[in-house]
Amino acid sequence: MQSIDSYVKFITALFLCSTLFGLFTMNKRPGWVFYTSLILLTAFVGLGAVNPEQLSAWAGIGLKFTTEHFGWLYLFATSGFLLFCISIAVSDYGHIRLGADGEAAEFPYFTWLGMIFSAGMGVGLVFWAVAEPMSHFVSPPFGEAEPRSPQAAGAAMRYALFHWGFHQWANFALVGLSIAYVRFRMQRPGLISETFRPLLGDRVDGARGHLINILAVVSTVFGVATTLGLGVIQINSGLVSVSDVPFGASQQLMILAGISMIFLVCALAPLESGVRYISDLNMLLAGALLVFVFFAGPTDFITAAMTNAIGDYFGNIMGMSLVMTPYTGDDWVERWTIFYWAWGLSWAPFVGSFIARISRGRTIREFVMGVIGMPVLLSVLWFSTFGGSALYFELFEGAALGDAVVQEMSSALFATLALLPGAEIVSILMLVLIILFVITSANSATFVLGMFTSKGVLTPSRWSRVTWGVIQVLVAGVLLLSGGLAALQTISIVAAFPFMILMIFMASSLLRSLRTERRQRELHEAMTRERLLRLLDSSDHLGEPERPTEFDELREELIEQVSREEPSRSE
């Protein structure tokens, strides 16, 4: 307990010093969004530090109310976001570039994908790669199979791919596409509130816009804090497997303090030299570990399980998307599907804004396919390799991984790695990968929060980023004190609800903007053709010699083209 008190005092002092120094060194003082968000989150941290039991109780009340009355809305909204993004990508809007026409992409494709993957769900993929399949294996969804049976293994892989598939990334794609379009196509600040200008007009510059941005900041902080907490718990489990470090809240808070020092230093570096190179290293290390486990583990079983899971996923995606349990009262959907969707929604302002920041020059079609398609492919490979290996060892070698998950969910990954050749080295490399993912996520979030509270500038001040970095650490620490994994899951669901409502209107606003641009483009093209036709017709009245045949053919071709397009436009 003494170490916990010391941690709270240390991080609070760091927060106060960085905030005061930052406020006095900023060239421009922050506005209402910064101060209001800071006050709200500071109050949350204060309550959690002084009375974590009360905070946990209030969060539980909010969770019960949200899931009982609005659980259905999480399912419909997330499925709707996926259909919306796919429809936009395959439509005529897909060729629109997020920037000037003909503008080249800012980052190479591989680097772009690596930054998306690392900032998106890197920590979550590592944490749940074994934990989720084994949890469903031990306790199958809706009791549809006998626990620890082959049928339970199939259901486990199906739901693991579903929870980390297209729905999850559609949340990020919608927010990212909306912000990128506003920032790089319309040349306006990259704020969440700016995406609502087609609906609210100039009112986004007032109190309504500030409220939208405050909700985005609070949602982002809670979403990233959840990920930081999961990463710290996983790091603690890894240290247990490779050393004599015990597992507990005190150790996790110390790990969080150490990680915070690293990523706060990284936050002082520019995006191009900070997050970019760490993301590249993440992808290389993750790829190496994936390849090693794939070939060192049960390769044939992994490929067969992956094939089967993909078929089950696509064959049951509609039913899984809208399933609830009104007849049995089972809370499985709330504990798993709604938690995942809420976690993704709370992450959407951060991940979407960060993806928008690095996607200048991409077309809408390329953006959607890159954000939804490629990460899902990597998720399928990751879960099939690590989760499939764990299921194989459990089914055919009696590895007792299911018992490990029941005792401590975060221990499943390293218990699986212990069954592979070179387990000690592989476990250390996995530990390094988790640390890098945590640093990348937290570092990226400091940029986004700095943008939200600095009127949408692409390069927020260093001390603004440091201030928000410390806030993330404080919130994550409070959640760990208030109940660990359960508290992280609870706060994600509750905090995501307001922003989910905003995202519904955000999709409507983006569609209106795209329709307006198409009408303006059609009008411009029609006016250009009309001017050309008038110029060509005027030559008949100038007494000039007859034009060459090529000229007459061009005029006739233009007249015919306009006559063909007039009926379609009128329709």
Side-chain angles (χ1 to χ4, degrees), residues 285-300:
L285 184 55
L289 287 170
L290 179 67
V291 170
F292 173 80
V293 176
F294 182 83
F295 288 105
T299 305
D300 293 335

Side-chain angles (χ1 to χ4, degrees), residues 444-480:
S444 303
T446 61
F447 273 89
V448 172
L449 291 168
M451 288 167 55
F452 286 166
T453 55
S454 303
K455 300 180 181 180
V457 298
L458 290 180
T459 54
S461 65
R462 292 179 175 179
W463 286 106
S464 172
R465 304 199 301 264
V466 170
T467 298
W468 288 115
V470 175
I471 283 288
Q472 294 174 75
V473 174
L474 282 169
V475 174
V478 164
L479 292 176
L480 289 173

Side-chain angles (χ1 to χ4, degrees), residues 71-85 162-163 165-172 174 321-322 337-338 340-345 500 503-504:
W72 60 272
L73 187 55
Y74 284 93
L75 303 183
F76 272 108
T78 305
S79 300
F81 297 152
L82 174 60
L83 294 176
F84 177 82
C85 291
F162 171 64
H163 288 148
F166 298 115
H167 287 71
Q168 191 68 276
W169 288 91
N171 296 323
F172 309 149
L174 173 59
S321 299
L322 302 176
T337 303
I338 292 180
Y340 274 124
W341 291 178
W343 185 20
L345 290 166
M500 176 181 64
M503 285 178 62
I504 295 173

Side-chain angles (χ1 to χ4, degrees), residues 161-458:
L161 296 193
F162 171 64
H163 288 148
W164 293 90
F166 298 115
H167 287 71
Q168 191 68 276
W169 288 91
N171 296 323
F172 309 149
L174 173 59
V175 177
L177 181 58
S178 299
I179 295 177
Y181 181 84
V182 166
R183 180 67 186 88
F184 300 125
R185 189 71 176 178
M186 308 303 294
Q187 297 297 311
R188 304 195 67 87
L191 295 171
I192 297 292
S193 60
E194 285 293 335
T195 65
F196 292 86
R197 189 172 291 275
L199 296 179
L200 299 178
D202 292 338
R203 286 173 290 182
V204 300
D205 299 322
R208 296 185 184 184
H210 294 332
L211 178 59
I212 291 171
N213 291 326
I214 290 169
L215 286 175
V217 170
V218 173
S219 178
T220 298
V221 169
F222 283 125
V224 176
T226 299
T227 299
L228 286 177
L230 291 176
V232 166
I233 292 173
Q234 188 69 81
I235 291 171
N236 194 180
S237 294
L239 291 175
V240 170
S241 68
V242 301
S243 65
D244 296 328
V245 175
F247 186 88
S250 299
Q251 290 74 26
Q252 291 163 14
L253 291 176
M254 291 300 103
I255 293 170
L256 180 61
I259 292 293
S260 66
M261 294 297 98
I262 300 175
F263 86 76
L264 288 175
V265 171
C266 294
L268 299 176
L271 177 67
E272 290 77 7
S273 61
V275 178
R276 174 178 179 175
Y277 296 115
I278 297 178
S279 298
D280 288 344
L281 181 58
N282 280 344
M283 290 299 290
L284 291 174
L285 184 55
L289 287 170
L290 179 67
V291 170
F292 173 80
V293 176
F294 182 83
F295 288 105
T299 305
D300 293 335
F301 180 87
I302 291 172
T303 54
M306 178 173 62
T307 304
N308 188 73
I310 292 173
D312 284 348
Y313 174 36
F314 283 103
N316 297 276
I317 187 171
M318 183 60 70
M320 292 188 295
S321 299
L322 302 176
V323 66
M324 295 197 74
T325 56
Y327 308 115
T328 63
D330 190 354
D331 65 345
W332 188 92
V333 176
E334 288 81 3
R335 288 186 291 109
W336 287 99
T337 303
I338 292 180
F339 160 66
Y340 274 124
W341 291 178
W343 185 20
L345 290 166
S346 65
W347 261 60
F350 150 53
V351 180
S353 299
F354 183 76
I355 293 174
R357 168 65 179 84
I358 62 176
S359 298
R360 183 169 194 159
R362 306 283 175 186
T363 64
I364 289 179
R365 184 172 294 116
E366 185 181 13
F367 179 93
V368 173
M369 293 299 105
V371 175
I372 295 181
M374 292 303 297
V376 171
L377 176 60
L378 293 174
S379 298
V380 169
L381 291 172
W382 189 269
F383 270 89
S384 298
T385 299
F386 287 90
S389 297
L391 289 171
Y392 174 86
F393 291 134
E394 180 75 6
L395 285 169
F396 300 106
E397 297 188 6
L401 296 175
D403 296 334
V405 169
V406 172
Q407 293 176 2
E408 174 51 52
M409 189 172 293
S410 61
S411 65
L413 174 63
F414 290 95
T416 302
L417 296 178
L419 301 173
L420 297 172
E424 185 175 352
I425 297 176
V426 174
S427 297
I428 293 175
L429 291 176
M430 182 62 73
L431 197 57
V432 172
L433 177 65
I434 298 169
I435 294 172
L436 291 177
F437 271 138
V438 171
I439 292 172
T440 304
S441 298
N443 195 9
S444 303
T446 61
F447 273 89
V448 172
L449 291 168
M451 288 167 55
F452 286 166
T453 55
S454 303
K455 300 180 181 180
V457 298
L458 290 180

